[in-house]
Amino acid sequence: LTHRYPAVTEDEERLSIPLQTMVLAMFDAVLVHIMNEVSPDSWHTIKMSLCEALYKKKVERTLEIMKETYADADVIFLQEAAAVFIEQMGATDLSERYHIFSPEKIDAKRDQNSLVLASKAKFSGVFSECTASAIELLPGDAPVSPGDLLAVAADGLDGVKVG
C-alpha cells in the first residue's frame, strides 16, 4: 500500500487493515438487517442467484456477452481481465474471429490485465506491442502496474497501420 500510495505511512497501513475489516463487517450487518426487514423470505435466494450469475459464472457470462452483443465489433478493448479469462477466451470461437493481443507481462497475481481483440476480417496478425513507449509518456509517478496498460500497433488488411 505504501508503495502505491506514498503518503500512507507503514503504521497507518498496519492499523488500517483491522479498521477496514470492522467497517466492512458493520456495513454487511446493516445490509443484512435492511434485507431482513424489507424482504425476509426472499432476499437470500435473490442474493444467491446474483452471486451465481455475477461471480461463479462470470467468465462464462462475459464470453457469452462478447459473442452475442459484440459479435460485429472490429475491435474490443478489455480491462482487468484475469489470466484464466484469457486462457478460456482462447479456447472459444472468439479466437477464430479475433486476434487476441495481451500484455507481454501478464499479471496472474493481480489478474488485472488489459486486452485488445482485433477482428481477423479487418486486421492481419501482424502487430507490435507499444506499451513500454506509451508508459514512457506518462509522468514518472503514474501508478501503472504490469497488465494495467496495453498499447499495440496492428496492420489492417487494407494496408493501413493502426496504433
Side-chain angles (χ1 to χ4, degrees), residues 3 39-40 49 67 79-80 86 93-95 102 118 129 134 143 159-160:
H3 171 71
S39 184
S49 69
K67 288 182 205 175
Q79 293 179 296
E80 299 190 6
I86 299 167
D93 65 342
L94 284 169
S95 64
S102 58
E129 184 171 345
V160 175

Side-chain angles (χ1 to χ4, degrees), residues 48-122:
M48 295 308 290
S49 69
L50 286 171
C51 186
E52 180 80 15
L54 300 174
Y55 178 72
K56 292 181 180 174
K57 294 186 177 179
K58 179 181 178 181
V59 171
E60 286 175 42
R61 182 68 183 125
T62 303
L63 290 170
E64 180 183 319
I65 291 168
M66 289 174 64
K67 288 182 205 175
E68 294 173 7
T69 307
Y70 299 101
D72 61 344
D74 293 335
V75 179
I76 300 174
F77 300 96
L78 297 174
Q79 293 179 296
E80 299 190 6
V84 69
F85 177 80
I86 299 167
E87 288 174 25
Q88 290 185 11
M89 182 174 42
T92 69
D93 65 342
L94 284 169
S95 64
E96 295 170 17
R97 290 189 293 183
Y98 292 97
H99 301 288
I100 302 170
F101 304 130
S102 58
E104 220 172 71
K105 298 176 185 175
I106 294 210
D107 188 341
K109 184 176 180 184
R110 286 184 33 225
D111 268 350
Q112 295 186 350
N113 300 289
S114 298
L115 305 173
V116 176
L117 282 68
S119 170
K120 289 183 178 181
K122 300 284 182 172

Side-chain angles (χ1 to χ4, degrees), residues 102-162:
S102 58
E104 220 172 71
K105 298 176 185 175
I106 294 210
D107 188 341
K109 184 176 180 184
R110 286 184 33 225
D111 268 350
Q112 295 186 350
N113 300 289
S114 298
L115 305 173
V116 176
L117 282 68
S119 170
K120 289 183 178 181
K122 300 284 182 172
F123 297 92
S124 73
V126 178
F127 80 99
S128 58
E129 184 171 345
C130 312
T131 306
S133 299
I135 289 174
E136 286 177 10
L137 299 172
L138 298 173
D141 60 348
V144 179
S145 297
D148 283 350
L149 178 66
L150 175 63
V152 297
D155 290 343
L157 291 177
D158 59 3
V160 175
K161 191 165 186 99
V162 180

